[in-house]
């Protein structure tokens, strides 16, 4: 069995809400409220949920771009949350990120060569000549050409820019890539090309991915296992095919019935997702989904269901599966 590369344990991020000239804390936005999961080496783990469910905040905490309020992030056996700045800087080489917006994430003042070379410079990898050679190789790997090296980001299309962002992420041979909504800013016609590229790269280099997206059909294509988040908590985790064929949580079922998956074997109760996501400053008591759940029971309004295994490798947080 593959080794575990990342373990996230009871991770929380509460953003304070401040008021008045003394900036008194009057409440908290519980963006992530006790999320746990693990990722094996070579695995693609998809994290999905509606906008504001905490999936991107989770990704950014793993990168330590955002400080967790509490919880542990263990990467390759080391606790990232307990690391000092120097150790963290070293470990950052092994975790790279592909960002959502390829227009904002590439510095317009730099050539493509400089952008892709940057992480190698930061981590002092290779001589100048070796770095230039690697940039040219990476451009070919992501489906661009070595002659693109001297051009600037504005000379490329959105899809090409995302390929540049992917080449930059690959430059330092990371052990884990966090792809945060990597195709949602792209035209639909380009999305499949970028997903196919990521899939090819994953096989070719045995990469490990945390793939964050709101679009379940995208995650389904890409991921070995999927975690579904709702209002800062994980509500279901399962192998991708199992989750899509046999969703247990009513929220997952509702998400799935809202995306067309071209496979006649996939049948969902067509429960439309009613209403809006509740305010994370004051989430509903009990099961946070009870205000939108078509099968909510009395207990759901009072007691929060824990995430537990209901079939081998299939976890869900729902009172429907308590005995
Ligand atoms: Fe619906 Fe209750 Fe399950 Fe929550 S715990 S998803 S409200 S049935």
């Amino acid at each position: 069995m593959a080794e575990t590369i990342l373990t996230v344990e009871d991770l929380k991020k509460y953003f304070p809400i401040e008021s008045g000239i003394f900036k008194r804390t009057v409440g908290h936005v519980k963006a992530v409220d006790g999320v746990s999961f693990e990722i094996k080496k070579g695995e693609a783990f998809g994290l999905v949920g509606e906008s504001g469910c905490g999936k991107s905040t989770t990704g950014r905490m793993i990168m330590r771009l955002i400080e967790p309020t509490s919880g542990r992030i263990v990467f390759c056996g080391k606790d990232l949350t307990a690391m000092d700045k120097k150790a963290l800087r070293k470990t950052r080489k092994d975790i790279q990120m592909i960002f959502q917006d390829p227009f904002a994430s590439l510095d317009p003042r730099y050539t493509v060569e400089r952008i892709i070379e940057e992480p190698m410079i930061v981590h002092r990898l290779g001589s100048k000549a070796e770095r230039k050679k690697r940039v040219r190789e990476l451009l070919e790997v992501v489906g661009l050409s070595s002659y693109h090296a001297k051009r600037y980001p504005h000379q490329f299309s959105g899809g090409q820019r995302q390929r540049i962002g992917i080449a930059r992420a690959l430059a330092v041979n990371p052990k884990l890539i966090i792809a945060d909504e990597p195709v949602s800013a792209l035209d639909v016609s380009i999305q499949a090309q970028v997903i196919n590229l990521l899939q090819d790269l994953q096989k070719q280099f045995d990469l490990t991915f945390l793939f964050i997206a709101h679009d379940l059909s995208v995650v389904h294509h890409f991921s070995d296992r999927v975690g579904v988040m709702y209002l800062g908590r994980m509500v279901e985790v399962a192998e991708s095919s199992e989750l899509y064929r046999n969703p247990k949580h009513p929220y997952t079922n509702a998400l799935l019935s809202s995306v067309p998956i071209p496979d006649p074997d996939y049948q969902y109760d067509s429960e439309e997702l009613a209403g809006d996501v509740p305010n994370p400053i004051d989430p509903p008591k009990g099961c946070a989904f009870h205000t939108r759940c078509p099968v909510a029971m009395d207990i759901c309004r009072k007691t929060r269901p824990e995430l537990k295994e209901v079939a081998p490798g299939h976890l869900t947080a729902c009172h429907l599966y308590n005995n």
Side-chain angles (χ1 to χ4, degrees):
M1 195 186 222
E3 64 184 280
T4 300
I5 199 165
L6 178 80
T7 306
V8 172
E9 282 175 15
D10 200 21
L11 195 63
K12 294 182 182 170
K13 181 66 198 179
Y14 294 174
F15 291 104
I17 306 158
E18 293 166 340
S19 167
I21 51 169
F22 297 113
K23 298 210 178 289
R24 208 163 47 86
T25 300
V26 292
H28 286 93
V29 177
K30 294 180 176 176
V32 177
D33 194 14
V35 161
S36 302
F37 62 93
E38 56 177 43
I39 304 180
K40 304 267 183 226
K41 188 172 183 302
E43 186 180 39
F45 185 84
L47 201 53
V48 291
E50 289 163 288
S51 157
C53 71
K55 55 193 189 302
S56 289
T57 306
T58 301
R60 276 154 204 267
M61 281 195 278
I62 296 166
M63 283 295 288
R64 290 287 303 272
L65 298 173
I66 297 177
E67 279 301 304
T69 303
S70 65
R72 269 181 14 124
I73 301 163
V74 180
F75 175 68
C76 293
K78 292 180 195 148
D79 186 350
L80 292 187
T81 40
M83 271 184 190
D84 61 25
K85 277 194 180 147
K86 196 172 161 208
L88 194 60
R89 213 174 306 131
K90 256 178 125 184
T91 308
R92 278 233 171 94
K93 177 180 102 48
D94 293 329
I95 311 177
Q96 294 292 310
M97 198 152 185
I98 299 168
F99 294 93
Q100 174 177 2
D101 186 351
F103 292 84
S105 64
L106 306 180
D107 193 324
R109 298 167 303 166
Y110 291 149
T111 61
V112 165
E113 180 173 68
R114 177 61 208 254
I115 288 169
I116 298 173
E117 196 187 3
E118 181 82 14
M120 292 186 271
I121 297 172
V122 169
H123 294 288
R124 300 199 179 99
L125 297 179
S127 65
K128 198 171 178 183
E130 284 166 341
R131 291 198 301 266
K132 306 261 179 253
K133 183 167 171 270
R134 174 113 177 104
V135 169
R136 278 160 175 74
E137 284 169 5
L138 285 165
L139 283 170
E140 303 283 346
V141 161
V142 298
L144 295 170
S145 297
S146 50
Y147 67 81
H148 286 128
K150 294 294 177 197
R151 296 193 183 168
Y152 289 85
H154 74 265
Q155 296 174 288
F156 294 88
S157 67
Q160 287 175 318
R161 286 186 210 206
Q162 198 53 298
R163 286 172 193 265
I164 296 164
I166 294 166
R168 179 179 57 184
L170 290 174
V172 289
N173 285 324
K175 292 185 177 140
L176 171 68
I177 294 182
I178 299 176
D180 186 6
E181 302 261 15
V183 297
S184 55
L186 304 176
D187 286 350
V188 174
S189 57
I190 308 295
Q191 287 184 357
Q193 291 174 16
V194 174
I195 294 285
N196 289 342
L197 170 66
L198 288 172
Q199 257 174 332
D200 290 347
L201 294 174
Q202 198 215 353
K203 286 195 197 108
Q204 201 178 335
F205 300 111
D206 195 24
L207 296 169
T208 308
F209 269 95
L210 172 60
F211 192 100
I212 298 167
H214 66 275
D215 187 333
L216 273 158
S217 53
V218 168
V219 174
H220 174 227
H221 269 100
F222 195 81
S223 309
D224 301 303
R225 283 187 308 133
V226 174
V228 180
M229 284 185 72
Y230 186 75
L231 266 188
R233 303 198 113 226
M234 197 74 92
V235 295
E236 187 156 11
V237 183
E239 280 187 10
S240 178
S241 54
E242 162 73 4
L243 186 99
Y244 285 81
R245 283 177 201 278
N246 188 17
K248 303 278 188 204
H249 198 281
Y251 177 59
T252 312
N253 192 71
L255 281 182
L256 284 167
S257 59
S258 65
V259 288
I261 293 187
D263 184 334
D265 286 349
Y266 288 50
Q267 304 271 333
Y268 310 109
D269 303 336
S270 56
E271 295 292 357
E272 285 300 314
L273 201 47
D276 294 324
V277 180
N279 187 345
I281 298 171
D282 186 21
K285 302 272 178 293
C287 171
F289 187 57
H290 84 250
T291 53
R292 303 168 81 191
C293 181
V295 288
M297 305 166 282
D298 266 355
I299 187 174
C300 307
R301 296 176 192 93
K302 296 175 197 144
T303 310
R304 186 152 74 182
E306 294 302 322
L307 187 69
K308 61 178 196 180
E309 195 167 39
V310 293
H314 195 153
L315 291 82
T316 195
C318 175
H319 289 304
L320 287 175
Y321 301 92
N322 286 341
N323 302 317

